[in-house]
Amino acid sequence: MAYALTLTHLYPDHLNLYGDTGNLIVLRRRCQWMGIDCTVKTLTMGEVAQSGQTDLYFMGGGQDTDQVAVVEDFHQLKSDAIRADTEAGVVFLGVCGGYQLMGNTFLMGNGEATPGLGIINVNTRAPGTDVKQRCIGNLIAEINSTAYAEMQTMYTTPHAIPRTLVGFENHSGQTYLGEGVQPLAKTIAGFGNNATAEYEGARYKNVFGSYMHGSLLPKNPHFADYLIGLALRRRYPEATLPVLGDTEELAAHAYVVQRYGA
Amino acid sequence: MNQLLLIPIVAFAKLLTLALRLSGRGSGTALPGYLIGRYFPFVLEALVSQIPVVVVITGTNGKTTSQTMLSAVLDQVPEAKVLRNKAGANLSQGILSELLKQSNALGQLDFTHAVLEIEEATLPRIAALLKPDIIAVTNLYRDQLDAYGEIDRTEKLIRDGIAQCPTAAVVVNGDDPRTSRLTQGLGNATYYMSLAPEYARFLPYEGKLNRRNVDSQGLEATNICINEDLTTDFSVQGLMNGEAINLPRATTVSPGFFHVYNGLTAIAIAHLLGIDGPTAAAGLQAFKPAFGRGEILTRQQDSKQVNYRLLLIKNPASFSLSLELLRNIPALKLILAINDNTADSKDVSWLWDSEVERLNQADIDWVLCTGLRAKDMVVRLKYALNTPPGPIPAIESIRQAIDLSFEQSNSGDTVFVLPTYTAMLEFRKLMGKTLDVV
């Protein structure tokens, strides 16, 4: 049976810092290598989102001015569809600004908190007197056990996958998780959600938020497959993924763990 | 003013530089400038104000090349004596160290022109002291985001720097939306450097090309032709202060579209300094590429000789454009050398913003990746290439990568090397060339 998926890139013109596009390149290529027919659509400023049109949303981060520019559009033209879709289990990956905008509040360029969509119960605020620094650097975190267990069920044949996620973070916003939200991973090196907590990212239903920008999916092929698998199983409940040869990706992953993991 | 006070300070700086050299603790490019800038802040202004014409060049890419091109143009003028800071010494302490080094024991400087490249964030800190006559901004690309946070901020910093110099003439990239709006709301005379639209559309600017002011006040390059040896020919036409400019042919030996902007910038500044177009074009032709920017290094062993052509990559823009240049090279042999040290950007996600897919149109003989982040580069290539030329090696050691590339090359081959900044420095060092040779 031929599988097909539609991926939607939100605001590719405005929210595309730090190699966010790389995540789409990786998803599309891996689908292609797995024999999944993959369509990538974009939704940008002024376009109305319709629910039921996509299997996976991706939203990256932007410059402060760009993030400010998309907020109103996001609330007025996109929120209804995204809310309906994600409540129904559509996969959503938000990185940095895309993560913050899915929370209850997020940080504007002037340091003020503004309402987000409130789909993930997290709050983001400016570094205050307690936390002064911008969180920048290589980030390594251990995937939460529920997600990790589920990741391993995605493949047609059993397949050893890393327990960690690696990436690079660069954010001033400090994100705090509320009730009902699972952290995506536990920080091993770097900051993650905020400079004092020990967790990186968040998950609610199939909505994922992370501060690992750009390099998130290229060096974490297991997480890319997990997202593809979750999206696929909504449409084809029996679907499993063929195992791809990930020597290069896992070597890059292992290098970061070895060099920055101490 | 404090000319007498300058004497002991300059003497101290010279002694310190000598001590640093003798003790082998570096070439003394930063520490004297740092100490004196910190404890005697008036010295920078006292020294630079002795030089009649001060030109400042900033921007994300092309500072060094533009500076070198303009110096080559000024070399055509017999009475010109040019002081310039070395690439890399473009923070305030580096500039001050150079001024101290070039002054005599009385703190006097005998130069007609200073051509200084200045790091973007440093400009607003010292613009008021330098009082430049001309400020050139090459372009503003996303670069070193982890160092400065955001390009919006860099743009604001440069604008703040220009605002401190109301009488300076400003030369900007007229196609780049960010640089072409820098003087909006400021009174500075502004000149726009531009490529004819059929070329400018290849360039990965953020936002729409901005050509509003190009026709009334600026230079445009047309008939751009990249030659097989990667030198680039172009014609220049334009209007500056009501004067028509028409140069049928100029050549830059540095390869690619970027360097056409740098050439235009040098020609425009030369015009503002009263140097005519043909003289400027002769200077451009005589100029030698700055280290790492198109220079060729040769390795010879027994009867075998392999040339390595270095094209520095710093960010998605320079990477994408270098690949555009390599599309037409037959049997391309390519080394991608990626480090993640502070001067390179600690964050390598820019590899994913770079259009590595442009290599799909190239005739690749072989490619290998090296440097601290060789493995990340291999992953990027894996996802970019439709038909990879076999497994792509990731060799962390640049020394080993050079050895392997030499072994698998034939005598007379040219290997293209695209290194990040510190990888370029290491590559040159391993080839027996250091920065001081420049």
Side-chain angles (χ1 to χ4, degrees), chain B residues 408-426:
Chain B
Q408 66 190 35
S409 296
N410 295 316
S411 192
D413 279 356
T414 293
V415 176
F416 286 85
V417 185
L418 271 50
T420 61
Y421 189 76
T422 69
M424 182 271 287
L425 295 185
E426 195 179 336

Side-chain angles (χ1 to χ4, degrees), chain B residues 1-14 36 40-50 96 99-100 103-109:
Chain B
M1 51 115 189
N2 296 298
Q3 200 66 34
L4 276 178
L5 210 49
L6 266 183
I7 296 172
I9 295 171
V10 170
F12 165 74
K14 287 189 177 293
I36 286 167
F40 308 101
F42 70 92
V43 172
L44 178 67
E45 190 177 5
L47 289 174
V48 81
S49 64
Q50 300 174 42
L96 184 49
L99 290 165
L100 286 163
S103 71
N104 68 14
L106 300 176
Q108 293 164 334
L109 284 157

Side-chain angles (χ1 to χ4, degrees), chain A:
Chain A
M1 160 179 207
Y3 298 140
L5 285 180
T6 301
L7 317 180
T8 300
H9 191 178
L10 286 157
Y11 305 110
D13 309 326
H14 289 83
L15 303 182
N16 183 26
L17 264 188
Y18 318 117
D20 286 331
T21 308
N23 293 314
L24 271 304
I25 296 174
V26 166
L27 289 172
R28 188 167 50 192
R29 270 293 208 189
R30 294 185 76 79
C31 281
Q32 188 190 340
W33 291 333
M34 289 174 180
I36 300 166
D37 183 12
C38 173
T39 309
V40 178
K41 296 201 294 200
T42 59
L43 262 180
T44 191
M45 293 269 271
E47 294 177 314
V48 182
Q50 308 279 350
S51 63
Q53 302 291 307
T54 194
D55 299 294
L56 186 153
Y57 287 104
F58 173 77
M59 182 156 70
Q63 312 261 352
D64 283 345
T65 46
D66 287 325
Q67 276 186 214
V68 170
V70 303
V71 174
E72 205 183 294
D73 183 273
F74 192 55
H75 278 279
Q76 290 183 353
L77 305 184
K78 313 287 195 285
S79 68
D80 291 347
I82 292 174
R83 194 179 303 275
D85 283 340
T86 52
E87 284 300 324
V90 166
V91 179
F92 187 106
L93 174 62
V95 172
C96 209
Y99 171 25
Q100 297 173 0
L101 279 160
M102 289 294 277
N104 300 322
T105 55
F106 83 99
L107 198 65
M108 296 282 274
N110 58 12
E112 273 175 33
T114 304
L117 292 197
I119 289 174
I120 314 184
N121 183 18
V122 303
N123 293 295
T124 302
R125 57 179 169 83
T129 43
D130 49 335
V131 182
K132 292 199 174 70
Q133 78 266 48
R134 196 175 171 93
C135 300
I136 303 183
N138 286 282
L139 177 56
I140 304 168
E142 187 179 274
I143 304 163
N144 93 42
S145 46
T146 320
Y148 186 63
E150 200 182 9
M151 263 180 206
Q152 288 163 322
T153 70
M154 291 290 155
Y155 298 98
T156 310
T157 46
H159 175 46
I161 54 177
R163 184 67 206 262
T164 40
L165 296 175
V166 301
F168 194 95
E169 62 185 323
N170 186 351
H171 56 106
S172 61
Q174 303 289 307
T175 299
Y176 297 87
L177 305 190
E179 265 183 58
V181 178
Q182 295 231 311
L184 175 59
K186 189 174 190 314
T187 308
I188 296 172
F191 299 102
N193 284 329
N194 61 64
T196 51
E198 293 160 349
Y199 294 102
E200 147 59 15
R203 177 186 191 170
Y204 164 76
K205 294 201 169 186
N206 285 337
V207 180
F208 297 86
S210 170
Y211 275 117
M212 295 190 173
H213 62 60
S215 345
L216 175 55
L217 298 185
K219 277 196 291 286
N220 298 291
H222 47 308
F223 190 56
D225 289 353
Y226 185 42
L227 301 178
I228 293 171
L230 289 172
L232 213 53
R233 282 188 182 174
R234 278 192 68 247
R235 280 225 213 171
Y236 318 95
E238 303 304 315
T240 54
L241 305 179
V243 175
L244 300 176
D246 289 335
T247 318
E248 295 86 354
E249 293 88 335
L250 295 177
H253 180 106
Y255 178 78
V256 175
V257 173
Q258 166 233 315
R259 180 149 164 230
Y260 298 104

Side-chain angles (χ1 to χ4, degrees), chain B residues 297-301 304-308 399 402-403 406 431:
Chain B
L297 304 176
T298 298
R299 177 163 174 179
Q300 191 138 22
Q301 222 166 291
K304 182 170 169 182
Q305 179 185 317
V306 176
N307 299 316
Y308 292 86
R399 177 187 296 276
I402 295 174
D403 289 344
F406 187 78
M431 295 290 285

Side-chain angles (χ1 to χ4, degrees), chain B residues 10-11 32 58 110 115 130 202 207 218 239 246 272 292 351 405-406 425 436:
Chain B
V10 170
T58 191
D110 179 25
V115 180
L130 294 177
F202 284 116
L239 198 65
N246 196 345
L272 293 171
L351 299 178
S405 68
F406 187 78
L425 295 185
D436 286 333

